[in-house]
């Protein structure tokens, strides 16, 4: 056999083996179709997408079953009861001459209701009352000291029954010395301030530090009782400034206690209804009976039967203030959660 014939036979043999092997080659698509069971098609059926292969080969995929029961969800517990948050009370005792003795009744009721006071301020004749409370936090001490103030130290009456007005406020030197015994505001248990208005500088000052003796003169001087002291009078209109200061000291709920009834009542504020002083106090009363910026609640004590110069009736005024305050504090303490 020659070399040419052997070469032809070898070529045919290689071609035969190649065609035979092609019959057994399967593509990846053939393998996928072979391993995936066929799903008979139905009219309107949507073919589900193949789930993604799991990476954790050793864990079998979850089996979904229509018969599987839903796991029971534990019931949601009821919400906890809302406990009212007691606000931090700041108190402002408003001006009013002899009417301010109603504030003492209010302080008694406030203490009886166990309402904590975080800061306190007083205006005009209420300045020493607020300071006394801030010093010891005792309503009894406020009453004890304020009733030591003699009528003639405030209003000097003539033999004919007239009243000498606009005295020098330093006539209260003995009273202030005994009541506070040279105390300083920085030593008080409760933050305190009283407003004073400087006539020369047209500026309001909140007296909140230093010796209480000098401080009281600046906060109490006001007609018809006292003439200005060192060009200053009581900041009788500056309730908002005082309220803002009490908030700076930690109070977040300001209560203003008003002892001036609305102007135009049956009894004038001063002895003479036509006097300039009565006009002045009527204007202040009108201010106090309007909404005051910075004040959250107003407690109005009924002193309509008394004037600002009725110091001889201060015991009655105090008791009247206590009765009036008790009714209003009952609702407020319930609101505060006490």
């Amino acid at each position: 056999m020659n070399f040419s014939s052997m070469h032809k036979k070898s070529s045919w043999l290689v071609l035969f083996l190649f065609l035979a092997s092609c019959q057994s080659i399967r593509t990846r698509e053939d393998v996928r179709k072979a391993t995936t069971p066929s799903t008979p098609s139905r009219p309107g059926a949507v073919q589900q997408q193949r789930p993604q292969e799991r990476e954790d080969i050793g864990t079998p995929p979850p089996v979904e079953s229509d018969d599987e029961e839903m796991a029971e969800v534990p019931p949601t517990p009821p919400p906890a009861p809302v406990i009212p948050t007691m606000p931090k009370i700041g108190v402002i005792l408003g001006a009013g001459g002899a009417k301010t003795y109603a504030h003492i009744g209010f302080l008694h009721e406030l203490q009886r209701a166990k309402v904590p006071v975080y800061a306190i301020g007083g205006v005009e004749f209420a300045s020493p009352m607020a300071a006394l409370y801030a010093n010891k936090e005792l309503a009894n001490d406020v009453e004890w000291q304020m009733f030591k103030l003699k009528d003639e130290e405030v209003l000097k009456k003539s033999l004919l029954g007239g009243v000498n007005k606009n005295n020098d406020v330093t006539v209260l030197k003995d009273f202030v010395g005994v009541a506070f015994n040279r105390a300083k505001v920085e030593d008080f248990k409760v933050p305190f301030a009283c407003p004073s208005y400087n006539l020369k500088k047209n500026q309001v000052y909140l007296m909140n530090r230093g010796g209480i003796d000098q401080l009281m003169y600046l906060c109490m001087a006001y007609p018809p009782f006292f003439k200005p002291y060192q060009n200053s009078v009581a900041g009788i209109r500056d309730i908002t400034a005082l309220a803002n200061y009490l908030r700076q000291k930690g109070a977040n709920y300001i209560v203003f206690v008003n002892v001036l009834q609305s102007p135009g009542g049956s009894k004038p504020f001063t002895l003479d209804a036509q006097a300039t002083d009565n006009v002045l106090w009527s204007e202040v009363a009108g201010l106090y009976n309007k909404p005051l910026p910075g004040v959250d609640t107003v407690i109005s004590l009924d002193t309509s039967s008394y004037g600002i110069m009725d110091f001889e009736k201060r015991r009655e005024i105090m008791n009247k203030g206590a009765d009036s305050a008790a009714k209003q504090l009952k609702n407020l303490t319930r609101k505060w959660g006490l």
Side-chain angles (χ1 to χ4, degrees):
M1 182 179 297
N2 58 18
F3 176 79
S4 177
S5 62
M6 290 180 63
H7 179 71
K8 290 181 179 180
K9 290 181 179 180
S10 299
S11 298
W12 282 107
L13 179 60
V14 171
L15 179 60
F16 175 77
L17 293 174
F18 173 76
L19 293 175
S21 62
C22 289
Q23 298 297 323
S24 61
I25 294 177
R26 294 189 300 175
T27 64
R28 291 184 179 180
E29 185 66 19
D30 296 333
V31 175
R32 185 185 66 80
K33 292 180 178 180
T35 56
T36 304
S38 59
T39 303
S41 60
R42 293 178 298 172
V46 179
Q47 184 176 359
Q48 294 184 353
Q49 188 177 2
R50 182 189 177 201
Q52 185 178 0
E53 294 182 359
R54 297 171 57 89
E55 294 182 0
D56 50 340
I57 303 300
T59 304
V63 179
E64 297 183 359
S65 174
D66 295 338
D67 298 332
E68 184 179 355
E69 295 182 359
M70 295 292 294
E72 294 185 1
V73 179
T76 303
V82 178
I83 300 175
T85 302
M86 176 65 189
K88 296 179 180 180
I89 306 298
V91 175
I92 298 176
L93 306 180
K99 287 172 172 281
T100 60
Y101 276 81
H103 289 316
I104 302 177
F106 165 80
L107 292 174
H108 276 296
E109 294 301 319
L110 193 73
Q111 188 169 314
R112 186 174 290 111
K114 298 181 180 181
V115 176
V117 176
Y118 283 80
I120 190 169
V123 185
E124 193 244 359
F125 253 94
S127 296
M129 299 177 184
L132 286 166
Y133 188 84
N135 188 22
K136 297 182 179 180
E137 292 186 278
L138 295 173
N140 285 335
D141 186 63
V142 180
E143 178 184 352
W144 174 254
Q145 300 298 341
M146 289 304 300
F147 275 88
K148 290 180 180 180
L149 183 62
K150 300 177 182 179
D151 296 352
E152 57 268 22
E153 290 180 303
V154 181
L155 297 174
K156 293 184 179 181
K157 297 181 180 180
S158 65
L159 296 176
L160 299 177
V163 177
N164 295 325
K165 301 182 295 183
N166 295 329
N167 295 321
D168 195 318
V169 71
T170 55
V171 299
L172 300 178
K173 181 178 180 179
D174 292 340
F175 161 73
V176 174
V178 172
F180 294 100
N181 193 23
R182 298 181 179 179
K184 292 184 177 181
V185 178
E186 293 88 340
D187 299 329
F188 287 176
K189 291 184 177 181
V190 176
F192 162 82
C194 58
S196 177
Y197 175 68
N198 188 283
L199 299 170
K200 187 175 182 179
K201 297 181 180 180
N202 190 27
Q203 181 68 41
V204 176
Y205 295 93
L206 293 177
M207 314 308 295
N208 54 27
R209 62 181 180 270
I212 197 71
D213 50 353
Q214 293 296 318
L215 184 147
M216 280 293 105
Y217 300 152
L218 295 169
C219 291
M220 292 184 67
Y222 203 78
F225 310 105
F226 308 113
K227 61 185 178 181
Y229 176 77
Q230 296 181 356
N231 292 315
S232 297
V233 294
I236 203 167
R237 296 171 176 81
D238 300 297
I239 305 304
T240 298
L242 186 52
N244 292 338
Y245 174 76
L246 299 187
R247 291 185 189 277
Q248 293 177 10
K249 304 307 291 186
N252 59 15
Y253 192 95
I254 307 301
V255 177
F256 176 66
V257 187
N258 182 18
V259 296
L260 295 177
Q261 73 274 13
S262 300
S266 57
K267 186 176 181 62
F269 293 100
T270 61
L271 299 178
D272 184 1
Q274 303 300 320
T276 304
D277 293 335
N278 189 64
V279 176
L280 177 66
W281 279 93
S282 296
E283 188 268 333
V284 175
L287 174 66
Y288 282 5
N289 284 274
K290 293 180 179 179
L292 298 169
V295 172
D296 297 290
T297 287
V298 176
I299 294 180
S300 297
L301 304 181
D302 183 13
T303 61
S304 56
S305 300
Y306 310 97
I308 65 171
M309 306 178 78
D310 289 337
F311 283 93
E312 71 278 3
K313 300 178 181 179
R314 49 190 169 176
R315 179 69 61 180
E316 297 178 23
I317 297 173
M318 184 189 72
N319 294 333
K320 186 73 172 180
D323 294 339
S324 183
K327 300 175 183 178
Q328 299 176 69
L329 280 174
K330 185 177 181 180
N331 295 328
L332 280 176
T333 52
R334 186 183 301 112
K335 177 182 178 181
W336 295 336
L338 292 178

